[in-house]
Amino acid sequence: QSALTQPASVSGSPGQSITISCTGTSSDVGSYNLVSWYQQHPGKAPKLMIYEVSKRPSGVSNRFSGSKSGNTASLTISGLQAEDEADYYCCSYAGSSTFEVFGTGTKVTVL
Amino acid sequence: QVTLRESGPALVKPTQTLTLTCTFSGFSLSTSGMCVSWIRQPPGKALEWLALIDWDDDKYYSTSLKTRLTISKDTSKNQVVLTMTNMDPVDTATYYCARTSPDTAMAFDYWGQGTLVTVSS
């Protein structure tokens, strides 16, 4: 099972919106509405930001939103803030044999 | 308050077997829908899902590592154990345990702080 494909880096200025893509296949992203997104600051554990494609856990800012079209999921960060600078990973359920697959990760830089 | 904490050796030699323990609190792994996974991250690289055990003692493994991994749980101790055989330097990584709950479907909603395992002779 190959990792989901994400851009290596995305950048934006404070206040702007950015979108991170996560491309999988019809066996994972395309088959299940079970895509999640994680934020990871250097030296820290990942933090759940989005689950089931577009749902936000309690306490996560509504500046973070998720969507999916076909085999590609997306995470949008609106009103970019300095604290959003981190690595972001998508993850998708891929069926009972492969189970879970993570993305390649995207480094978000706030200019 | 949900917490998870990984413990195990910081250094293992090539060919040895690694045993990691995840000790958790704030939930029960006997509750329907609860699961604990192990996930690793080599230095500077992406996350990789390794294994999952659920409330019903069903176990799932990474296809590429299946022959080397064993996951088990001790519900009375609130612990999940992962063993990985035949360790190699490429297995050097931070190993995390993380919870999946019915509230967040297959997402990992709580993570431990991770434990760095270095494989070197």
Side-chain angles (χ1 to χ4, degrees), chain B residues 78-120:
Chain B
N78 281 351
Q79 290 182 334
V80 171
V81 174
L82 181 76
T83 62
M84 180 180 291
T85 61
N86 195 24
M87 293 293 285
D88 183 272
V90 299
D91 297 313
T92 293
T94 295
Y95 287 75
Y96 297 98
C97 61
R99 186 190 82 159
T100 301
S101 75
D103 293 337
T104 53
M106 296 307 301
F108 309 108
D109 58 358
Y110 286 91
W111 295 64
Q113 84 279 8
T115 186
L116 176 62
V117 178
T118 301
V119 185
S120 175

mmCIF file of all heavy atoms in Angstrom, chain B residues 78-120:
data_model
loop_
_atom_site.group_PDB
_atom_site.id
_atom_site.type_symbol
_atom_site.label_atom_id
_atom_site.label_comp_id
_atom_site.label_asym_id
_atom_site.label_seq_id
_atom_site.Cartn_x
_atom_site.Cartn_y
_atom_site.Cartn_z
ATOM 1 N N ASN B 78 -4.704 -1.684 31.555
ATOM 2 C CA ASN B 78 -4.801 -0.570 30.608
ATOM 3 C C ASN B 78 -3.501 -0.422 29.806
ATOM 4 O O ASN B 78 -2.917 0.665 29.731
ATOM 5 C CB ASN B 78 -5.126 0.744 31.335
ATOM 6 C CG ASN B 78 -6.596 0.853 31.696
ATOM 7 O OD1 ASN B 78 -7.422 0.040 31.263
ATOM 8 N ND2 ASN B 78 -6.940 1.835 32.492
ATOM 9 N N GLN B 79 -3.070 -1.513 29.232
ATOM 10 C CA GLN B 79 -1.844 -1.519 28.453
ATOM 11 C C GLN B 79 -2.018 -2.231 27.113
ATOM 12 O O GLN B 79 -2.781 -3.190 27.005
ATOM 13 C CB GLN B 79 -0.703 -2.197 29.224
ATOM 14 C CG GLN B 79 -0.206 -1.403 30.416
ATOM 15 C CD GLN B 79 0.944 -2.083 31.118
ATOM 16 O OE1 GLN B 79 1.093 -3.307 31.071
ATOM 17 N NE2 GLN B 79 1.775 -1.294 31.788
ATOM 18 N N VAL B 80 -1.295 -1.726 26.126
ATOM 19 C CA VAL B 80 -1.193 -2.368 24.823
ATOM 20 C C VAL B 80 0.293 -2.553 24.523
ATOM 21 O O VAL B 80 1.086 -1.626 24.707
ATOM 22 C CB VAL B 80 -1.859 -1.531 23.710
ATOM 23 C CG1 VAL B 80 -1.558 -2.103 22.325
ATOM 24 C CG2 VAL B 80 -3.368 -1.464 23.944
ATOM 25 N N VAL B 81 0.663 -3.738 24.107
ATOM 26 C CA VAL B 81 2.067 -4.060 23.858
ATOM 27 C C VAL B 81 2.280 -4.358 22.378
ATOM 28 O O VAL B 81 1.477 -5.065 21.756
ATOM 29 C CB VAL B 81 2.509 -5.262 24.712
ATOM 30 C CG1 VAL B 81 3.929 -5.687 24.356
ATOM 31 C CG2 VAL B 81 2.412 -4.908 26.194
ATOM 32 N N LEU B 82 3.357 -3.813 21.843
ATOM 33 C CA LEU B 82 3.761 -4.097 20.468
ATOM 34 C C LEU B 82 5.141 -4.744 20.497
ATOM 35 O O LEU B 82 6.040 -4.234 21.143
ATOM 36 C CB LEU B 82 3.828 -2.823 19.634
ATOM 37 C CG LEU B 82 4.229 -3.028 18.169
ATOM 38 C CD1 LEU B 82 3.068 -3.580 17.370
ATOM 39 C CD2 LEU B 82 4.742 -1.730 17.550
ATOM 40 N N THR B 83 5.275 -5.866 19.811
ATOM 41 C CA THR B 83 6.604 -6.445 19.612
ATOM 42 C C THR B 83 6.934 -6.411 18.132
ATOM 43 O O THR B 83 6.065 -6.657 17.282
ATOM 44 C CB THR B 83 6.708 -7.876 20.150
ATOM 45 O OG1 THR B 83 5.787 -8.708 19.430
ATOM 46 C CG2 THR B 83 6.393 -7.936 21.631
ATOM 47 N N MET B 84 8.171 -6.091 17.843
ATOM 48 C CA MET B 84 8.673 -6.059 16.471
ATOM 49 C C MET B 84 9.969 -6.854 16.438
ATOM 50 O O MET B 84 10.923 -6.503 17.141
ATOM 51 C CB MET B 84 8.900 -4.624 15.988
ATOM 52 C CG MET B 84 9.427 -4.520 14.566
ATOM 53 S SD MET B 84 9.684 -2.820 14.001
ATOM 54 C CE MET B 84 8.024 -2.238 13.890
ATOM 55 N N THR B 85 9.993 -7.892 15.646
ATOM 56 C CA THR B 85 11.159 -8.765 15.591
ATOM 57 C C THR B 85 12.178 -8.288 14.566
ATOM 58 O O THR B 85 11.891 -7.438 13.720
ATOM 59 C CB THR B 85 10.735 -10.201 15.239
ATOM 60 O OG1 THR B 85 10.117 -10.189 13.946
ATOM 61 C CG2 THR B 85 9.762 -10.752 16.273
ATOM 62 N N ASN B 86 13.377 -8.846 14.673
ATOM 63 C CA ASN B 86 14.421 -8.635 13.679
ATOM 64 C C ASN B 86 14.635 -7.157 13.344
ATOM 65 O O ASN B 86 14.577 -6.746 12.186
ATOM 66 C CB ASN B 86 14.094 -9.429 12.401
ATOM 67 C CG ASN B 86 15.272 -9.551 11.472
ATOM 68 O OD1 ASN B 86 16.425 -9.465 11.890
ATOM 69 N ND2 ASN B 86 14.998 -9.757 10.199
ATOM 70 N N MET B 87 14.894 -6.377 14.375
ATOM 71 C CA MET B 87 15.057 -4.938 14.198
ATOM 72 C C MET B 87 16.266 -4.619 13.311
ATOM 73 O O MET B 87 17.302 -5.298 13.360
ATOM 74 C CB MET B 87 15.187 -4.246 15.545
ATOM 75 C CG MET B 87 13.913 -4.309 16.374
ATOM 76 S SD MET B 87 12.569 -3.357 15.674
ATOM 77 C CE MET B 87 13.103 -1.683 16.069
ATOM 78 N N ASP B 88 16.118 -3.551 12.543
ATOM 79 C CA ASP B 88 17.129 -3.097 11.590
ATOM 80 C C ASP B 88 17.321 -1.590 11.765
ATOM 81 O O ASP B 88 16.396 -0.913 12.222
ATOM 82 C CB ASP B 88 16.638 -3.406 10.163
ATOM 83 C CG ASP B 88 17.645 -3.036 9.107
ATOM 84 O OD1 ASP B 88 17.629 -1.867 8.655
ATOM 85 O OD2 ASP B 88 18.457 -3.887 8.731
ATOM 86 N N PRO B 89 18.471 -1.053 11.407
ATOM 87 C CA PRO B 89 18.648 0.401 11.539
ATOM 88 C C PRO B 89 17.560 1.233 10.862
ATOM 89 O O PRO B 89 17.260 2.342 11.330
ATOM 90 C CB PRO B 89 20.021 0.622 10.895
ATOM 91 C CG PRO B 89 20.778 -0.627 11.225
ATOM 92 C CD PRO B 89 19.757 -1.727 11.107
ATOM 93 N N VAL B 90 16.946 0.727 9.803
ATOM 94 C CA VAL B 90 15.874 1.488 9.152
ATOM 95 C C VAL B 90 14.619 1.582 10.016
ATOM 96 O O VAL B 90 13.695 2.355 9.727
ATOM 97 C CB VAL B 90 15.500 0.910 7.771
ATOM 98 C CG1 VAL B 90 16.697 0.944 6.843
ATOM 99 C CG2 VAL B 90 14.931 -0.485 7.901
ATOM 100 N N ASP B 91 14.565 0.799 11.083
ATOM 101 C CA ASP B 91 13.434 0.860 12.018
ATOM 102 C C ASP B 91 13.626 1.944 13.075
ATOM 103 O O ASP B 91 12.762 2.121 13.943
ATOM 104 C CB ASP B 91 13.227 -0.493 12.703
ATOM 105 C CG ASP B 91 12.863 -1.591 11.721
ATOM 106 O OD1 ASP B 91 11.977 -1.359 10.878
ATOM 107 O OD2 ASP B 91 13.470 -2.679 11.802
ATOM 108 N N THR B 92 14.735 2.654 13.013
ATOM 109 C CA THR B 92 14.947 3.780 13.922
ATOM 110 C C THR B 92 13.858 4.815 13.694
ATOM 111 O O THR B 92 13.661 5.299 12.583
ATOM 112 C CB THR B 92 16.325 4.417 13.679
ATOM 113 O OG1 THR B 92 17.342 3.479 14.056
ATOM 114 C CG2 THR B 92 16.489 5.703 14.476
ATOM 115 N N ALA B 93 13.139 5.145 14.758
ATOM 116 C CA ALA B 93 11.986 6.030 14.620
ATOM 117 C C ALA B 93 11.453 6.408 15.990
ATOM 118 O O ALA B 93 11.791 5.788 17.000
ATOM 119 C CB ALA B 93 10.873 5.342 13.824
ATOM 120 N N THR B 94 10.584 7.409 16.007
ATOM 121 C CA THR B 94 9.761 7.668 17.179
ATOM 122 C C THR B 94 8.497 6.836 17.021
ATOM 123 O O THR B 94 7.835 6.884 15.973
ATOM 124 C CB THR B 94 9.404 9.162 17.287
ATOM 125 O OG1 THR B 94 10.605 9.901 17.504
ATOM 126 C CG2 THR B 94 8.453 9.399 18.447
ATOM 127 N N TYR B 95 8.201 6.064 18.046
ATOM 128 C CA TYR B 95 7.032 5.192 18.036
ATOM 129 C C TYR B 95 5.946 5.797 18.920
ATOM 130 O O TYR B 95 6.202 6.116 20.090
ATOM 131 C CB TYR B 95 7.404 3.790 18.519
ATOM 132 C CG TYR B 95 8.223 3.028 17.491
ATOM 133 C CD1 TYR B 95 9.568 3.326 17.289
ATOM 134 C CD2 TYR B 95 7.640 2.041 16.702
ATOM 135 C CE1 TYR B 95 10.309 2.653 16.329
ATOM 136 C CE2 TYR B 95 8.382 1.351 15.756
ATOM 137 C CZ TYR B 95 9.716 1.673 15.566
ATOM 138 O OH TYR B 95 10.450 1.002 14.609
ATOM 139 N N TYR B 96 4.777 5.964 18.338
ATOM 140 C CA TYR B 96 3.625 6.524 19.048
ATOM 141 C C TYR B 96 2.534 5.472 19.230
ATOM 142 O O TYR B 96 2.318 4.640 18.338
ATOM 143 C CB TYR B 96 2.992 7.666 18.253
ATOM 144 C CG TYR B 96 3.841 8.888 18.021
ATOM 145 C CD1 TYR B 96 4.532 9.070 16.831
ATOM 146 C CD2 TYR B 96 3.922 9.899 18.990
ATOM 147 C CE1 TYR B 96 5.279 10.209 16.596
ATOM 148 C CE2 TYR B 96 4.673 11.042 18.765
ATOM 149 C CZ TYR B 96 5.342 11.194 17.569
ATOM 150 O OH TYR B 96 6.082 12.331 17.342
ATOM 151 N N CYS B 97 1.825 5.560 20.342
ATOM 152 C CA CYS B 97 0.547 4.863 20.415
ATOM 153 C C CYS B 97 -0.552 5.926 20.389
ATOM 154 O O CYS B 97 -0.341 7.070 20.817
ATOM 155 C CB CYS B 97 0.429 3.957 21.630
ATOM 156 S SG CYS B 97 0.557 4.728 23.252
ATOM 157 N N ALA B 98 -1.690 5.551 19.826
ATOM 158 C CA ALA B 98 -2.779 6.507 19.653
ATOM 159 C C ALA B 98 -4.119 5.792 19.769
ATOM 160 O O ALA B 98 -4.243 4.618 19.422
ATOM 161 C CB ALA B 98 -2.665 7.194 18.295
ATOM 162 N N ARG B 99 -5.107 6.514 20.249
ATOM 163 C CA ARG B 99 -6.439 5.947 20.436
ATOM 164 C C ARG B 99 -7.359 6.268 19.263
ATOM 165 O O ARG B 99 -7.272 7.345 18.661
ATOM 166 C CB ARG B 99 -7.072 6.522 21.712
ATOM 167 C CG ARG B 99 -8.393 5.886 22.078
ATOM 168 C CD ARG B 99 -9.094 6.626 23.191
ATOM 169 N NE ARG B 99 -9.837 7.792 22.702
ATOM 170 C CZ ARG B 99 -10.828 8.362 23.375
ATOM 171 N NH1 ARG B 99 -11.178 7.885 24.559
ATOM 172 N NH2 ARG B 99 -11.448 9.417 22.882
ATOM 173 N N THR B 100 -8.232 5.318 18.967
ATOM 174 C CA THR B 100 -9.352 5.553 18.061
ATOM 175 C C THR B 100 -10.615 5.307 18.863
ATOM 176 O O THR B 100 -10.703 4.307 19.584
ATOM 177 C CB THR B 100 -9.306 4.592 16.862
ATOM 178 O OG1 THR B 100 -8.075 4.780 16.155
ATOM 179 C CG2 THR B 100 -10.457 4.847 15.915
ATOM 180 N N SER B 101 -11.589 6.196 18.771
ATOM 181 C CA SER B 101 -12.817 6.021 19.536
ATOM 182 C C SER B 101 -14.024 6.068 18.610
ATOM 183 O O SER B 101 -13.923 6.546 17.479
ATOM 184 C CB SER B 101 -12.936 7.119 20.591
ATOM 185 O OG SER B 101 -13.310 8.345 19.979
ATOM 186 N N PRO B 102 -15.171 5.603 19.080
ATOM 187 C CA PRO B 102 -16.370 5.660 18.235
ATOM 188 C C PRO B 102 -16.738 7.087 17.828
ATOM 189 O O PRO B 102 -17.330 7.299 16.783
ATOM 190 C CB PRO B 102 -17.451 5.057 19.130
ATOM 191 C CG PRO B 102 -16.736 4.237 20.124
ATOM 192 C CD PRO B 102 -15.432 4.936 20.357
ATOM 193 N N ASP B 103 -16.344 8.060 18.650
ATOM 194 C CA ASP B 103 -16.713 9.453 18.366
ATOM 195 C C ASP B 103 -16.032 9.999 17.113
ATOM 196 O O ASP B 103 -16.555 10.902 16.468
ATOM 197 C CB ASP B 103 -16.350 10.352 19.548
ATOM 198 C CG ASP B 103 -17.177 10.050 20.772
ATOM 199 O OD1 ASP B 103 -18.284 9.487 20.610
ATOM 200 O OD2 ASP B 103 -16.725 10.370 21.890
ATOM 201 N N THR B 104 -14.860 9.454 16.803
ATOM 202 C CA THR B 104 -14.093 10.006 15.679
ATOM 203 C C THR B 104 -13.781 8.948 14.635
ATOM 204 O O THR B 104 -12.816 9.061 13.897
ATOM 205 C CB THR B 104 -12.794 10.664 16.177
ATOM 206 O OG1 THR B 104 -12.092 9.730 16.987
ATOM 207 C CG2 THR B 104 -13.078 11.932 16.957
ATOM 208 N N ALA B 105 -14.609 7.934 14.580
ATOM 209 C CA ALA B 105 -14.502 6.877 13.560
ATOM 210 C C ALA B 105 -13.083 6.316 13.538
ATOM 211 O O ALA B 105 -12.558 5.912 14.550
ATOM 212 C CB ALA B 105 -14.925 7.419 12.205
ATOM 213 N N MET B 106 -12.404 6.309 12.408
ATOM 214 C CA MET B 106 -11.087 5.688 12.299
ATOM 215 C C MET B 106 -9.950 6.678 12.536
ATOM 216 O O MET B 106 -8.800 6.372 12.277
ATOM 217 C CB MET B 106 -10.932 5.043 10.919
ATOM 218 C CG MET B 106 -11.884 3.905 10.654
ATOM 219 S SD MET B 106 -11.843 2.638 11.935
ATOM 220 C CE MET B 106 -10.127 2.138 11.862
ATOM 221 N N ALA B 107 -10.254 7.843 13.064
ATOM 222 C CA ALA B 107 -9.207 8.836 13.307
ATOM 223 C C ALA B 107 -8.543 8.611 14.667
ATOM 224 O O ALA B 107 -9.144 8.054 15.573
ATOM 225 C CB ALA B 107 -9.796 10.238 13.232
ATOM 226 N N PHE B 108 -7.312 9.089 14.789
ATOM 227 C CA PHE B 108 -6.546 8.944 16.030
ATOM 228 C C PHE B 108 -6.729 10.218 16.835
ATOM 229 O O PHE B 108 -6.120 11.243 16.531
ATOM 230 C CB PHE B 108 -5.075 8.691 15.696
ATOM 231 C CG PHE B 108 -4.882 7.563 14.712
ATOM 232 C CD1 PHE B 108 -4.502 7.813 13.422
ATOM 233 C CD2 PHE B 108 -5.114 6.251 15.096
ATOM 234 C CE1 PHE B 108 -4.341 6.780 12.508
ATOM 235 C CE2 PHE B 108 -4.958 5.201 14.191
ATOM 236 C CZ PHE B 108 -4.574 5.475 12.898
ATOM 237 N N ASP B 109 -7.569 10.152 17.875
ATOM 238 C CA ASP B 109 -7.941 11.386 18.555
ATOM 239 C C ASP B 109 -7.051 11.742 19.733
ATOM 240 O O ASP B 109 -7.006 12.905 20.134
ATOM 241 C CB ASP B 109 -9.425 11.364 18.961
ATOM 242 C CG ASP B 109 -9.803 10.197 19.856
ATOM 243 O OD1 ASP B 109 -8.933 9.347 20.151
ATOM 244 O OD2 ASP B 109 -10.987 10.124 20.250
ATOM 245 N N TYR B 110 -6.363 10.783 20.298
ATOM 246 C CA TYR B 110 -5.395 11.060 21.360
ATOM 247 C C TYR B 110 -4.121 10.282 21.077
ATOM 248 O O TYR B 110 -4.180 9.104 20.688
ATOM 249 C CB TYR B 110 -5.942 10.687 22.743
ATOM 250 C CG TYR B 110 -6.989 11.647 23.253
ATOM 251 C CD1 TYR B 110 -8.340 11.421 23.000
ATOM 252 C CD2 TYR B 110 -6.626 12.779 23.984
ATOM 253 C CE1 TYR B 110 -9.307 12.303 23.463
ATOM 254 C CE2 TYR B 110 -7.587 13.663 24.452
ATOM 255 C CZ TYR B 110 -8.921 13.423 24.189
ATOM 256 O OH TYR B 110 -9.872 14.295 24.638
ATOM 257 N N TRP B 111 -2.981 10.952 21.306
ATOM 258 C CA TRP B 111 -1.674 10.362 21.035
ATOM 259 C C TRP B 111 -0.809 10.423 22.294
ATOM 260 O O TRP B 111 -0.937 11.340 23.105
ATOM 261 C CB TRP B 111 -0.959 11.141 19.934
ATOM 262 C CG TRP B 111 -1.598 11.105 18.589
ATOM 263 C CD1 TRP B 111 -2.832 11.610 18.241
ATOM 264 C CD2 TRP B 111 -1.022 10.574 17.391
ATOM 265 N NE1 TRP B 111 -3.056 11.408 16.900
ATOM 266 C CE2 TRP B 111 -1.966 10.788 16.346
ATOM 267 C CE3 TRP B 111 0.185 9.963 17.088
ATOM 268 C CZ2 TRP B 111 -1.727 10.380 15.035
ATOM 269 C CZ3 TRP B 111 0.427 9.567 15.775
ATOM 270 C CH2 TRP B 111 -0.525 9.774 14.761
ATOM 271 N N GLY B 112 0.096 9.458 22.407
ATOM 272 C CA GLY B 112 1.144 9.573 23.404
ATOM 273 C C GLY B 112 2.201 10.553 22.923
ATOM 274 O O GLY B 112 2.140 11.048 21.787
ATOM 275 N N GLN B 113 3.168 10.826 23.757
ATOM 276 C CA GLN B 113 4.219 11.787 23.382
ATOM 277 C C GLN B 113 5.276 11.163 22.480
ATOM 278 O O GLN B 113 6.077 11.880 21.883
ATOM 279 C CB GLN B 113 4.886 12.381 24.639
ATOM 280 C CG GLN B 113 6.009 11.542 25.236
ATOM 281 C CD GLN B 113 5.517 10.400 26.115
ATOM 282 O OE1 GLN B 113 4.325 10.108 26.196
ATOM 283 N NE2 GLN B 113 6.452 9.754 26.788
ATOM 284 N N GLY B 114 5.246 9.840 22.375
ATOM 285 C CA GLY B 114 6.196 9.146 21.516
ATOM 286 C C GLY B 114 7.457 8.735 22.251
ATOM 287 O O GLY B 114 7.859 9.373 23.236
ATOM 288 N N THR B 115 8.079 7.673 21.772
ATOM 289 C CA THR B 115 9.350 7.224 22.325
ATOM 290 C C THR B 115 10.302 6.932 21.169
ATOM 291 O O THR B 115 9.949 6.222 20.229
ATOM 292 C CB THR B 115 9.158 5.988 23.231
ATOM 293 O OG1 THR B 115 10.402 5.672 23.856
ATOM 294 C CG2 THR B 115 8.667 4.764 22.462
ATOM 295 N N LEU B 116 11.479 7.516 21.240
ATOM 296 C CA LEU B 116 12.473 7.351 20.181
ATOM 297 C C LEU B 116 13.227 6.045 20.386
ATOM 298 O O LEU B 116 13.803 5.821 21.446
ATOM 299 C CB LEU B 116 13.443 8.522 20.152
ATOM 300 C CG LEU B 116 14.602 8.426 19.147
ATOM 301 C CD1 LEU B 116 14.077 8.358 17.716
ATOM 302 C CD2 LEU B 116 15.557 9.609 19.320
ATOM 303 N N VAL B 117 13.210 5.214 19.373
ATOM 304 C CA VAL B 117 13.951 3.953 19.396
ATOM 305 C C VAL B 117 15.036 4.015 18.331
ATOM 306 O O VAL B 117 14.748 4.247 17.154
ATOM 307 C CB VAL B 117 13.021 2.758 19.138
ATOM 308 C CG1 VAL B 117 13.828 1.465 19.106
ATOM 309 C CG2 VAL B 117 11.919 2.690 20.196
ATOM 310 N N THR B 118 16.256 3.823 18.758
ATOM 311 C CA THR B 118 17.399 3.814 17.832
ATOM 312 C C THR B 118 17.898 2.379 17.700
ATOM 313 O O THR B 118 18.074 1.682 18.709
ATOM 314 C CB THR B 118 18.526 4.717 18.344
ATOM 315 O OG1 THR B 118 18.027 6.055 18.474
ATOM 316 C CG2 THR B 118 19.708 4.717 17.385
ATOM 317 N N VAL B 119 18.098 1.957 16.465
ATOM 318 C CA VAL B 119 18.614 0.615 16.203
ATOM 319 C C VAL B 119 20.061 0.752 15.741
ATOM 320 O O VAL B 119 20.337 1.281 14.656
ATOM 321 C CB VAL B 119 17.780 -0.120 15.150
ATOM 322 C CG1 VAL B 119 18.290 -1.558 14.994
ATOM 323 C CG2 VAL B 119 16.308 -0.119 15.523
ATOM 324 N N SER B 120 20.961 0.278 16.560
ATOM 325 C CA SER B 120 22.377 0.409 16.254
ATOM 326 C C SER B 120 23.175 -0.607 17.052
ATOM 327 O O SER B 120 22.799 -0.955 18.181
ATOM 328 C CB SER B 120 22.861 1.825 16.585
ATOM 329 O OG SER B 120 24.258 1.943 16.414
#
